[in-house]
Amino acid sequence: MKKKLSILAVIAILAVASFATLAYLTDSADAVTNTFTVGNLDITLTETYTQNSKIYPGATISKTPVVTVLANSEPSFLYVMVDNQLSPHGVLNILPENWESINVNGTKTIYRYNSIVPLSASNQPFTVFSTVTFGTGLTKTELATLQGKDIIIKAYAHQQAGVDQSVADAAAITHFTTP
């Protein structure tokens, strides 16, 4: 029995010794950190206008709404919604080479700026129109219907990256028509 114990002890010692001399190849790498930034898109809407301007036949009233895409905003599609409650008597001088009508519903028209607004380190102002003109044949009855009516302008911008123009147009229409 001592012989068996001795053999088992020798085997156990050899087993421990053999595991103690085993070496495994190992390695590690430093962590890789990916930093992401978030894009930015900021606009403002301002206007130069004299409140309560008088309407009369042949009047041209100065009214200049300006949408500004602020510095460092991502490239974008730019939209305005103009609710011209003075229409058809009050005509706005919106330039078709700058703004394209994409949706009309009653007195409300949604326009898209004709170019993608690029990334810029500076603010980028876009004039919507500059005057409201009334025809010389405007009657007293027609003038009375304009009392208390307004021209309301709203602005919207949509990122251009990864978006088709039709998708941005649909988003703008939804934005302006959803209460």
Side-chain angles (χ1 to χ4, degrees):
M1 173 106 165
K2 284 185 177 186
K3 191 174 182 180
K4 280 185 181 181
L5 280 174
S6 296
I7 291 173
L8 284 174
V10 168
I11 290 173
I13 291 170
L14 287 174
V16 170
S18 69
F19 283 117
T21 61
L22 286 179
Y24 295 100
L25 296 176
T26 63
D27 192 12
S28 65
D30 291 336
V32 175
T33 302
N34 296 304
T35 302
F36 297 90
T37 59
V38 177
N40 190 32
L41 183 54
D42 283 324
I43 62 172
T44 61
L45 176 61
T46 57
E47 177 177 66
T48 304
Y49 170 68
T50 303
Q51 287 292 338
N52 301 313
S53 294
K54 299 290 181 189
I55 298 172
Y56 54 87
T60 296
I61 298 170
S62 179
K63 178 177 178 67
T64 309
V66 176
V67 181
T68 301
V69 178
L70 300 183
N72 302 312
S73 288
E74 296 298 319
S76 59
F77 297 103
L78 185 61
Y79 300 88
V80 292
M81 186 279 300
V82 179
D83 182 2
N84 182 4
Q85 298 170 7
L86 301 175
S87 179
H89 305 295
V91 178
L92 312 176
N93 70 330
I94 297 174
L95 300 176
E97 60 269 15
N98 292 342
W99 297 95
E100 179 180 349
S101 170
I102 63 165
N103 184 273
V104 178
N105 185 5
T107 60
K108 297 176 183 175
T109 304
I110 299 171
Y111 296 92
R112 179 187 61 248
Y113 189 72
N114 280 338
S115 299
I116 293 170
V117 179
L119 176 68
S120 175
S122 302
N123 291 345
Q124 300 176 80
F126 299 92
T127 299
V128 181
F129 58 89
S130 60
T131 60
V132 183
T133 303
F134 297 88
T136 56
L138 201 58
T139 67
K140 185 175 184 175
T141 303
E142 291 168 331
L143 281 169
T145 66
L146 301 178
Q147 183 66 36
K149 303 285 180 150
D150 297 310
I151 298 174
I152 301 166
I153 300 108
K154 296 180 180 179
Y156 174 79
H158 194 291
Q159 76 178 42
Q160 180 268 327
V163 178
D164 288 335
Q165 179 178 297
S166 61
V167 172
D169 287 357
I173 291 167
T174 299
H175 172 79
F176 289 125
T177 59
T178 304

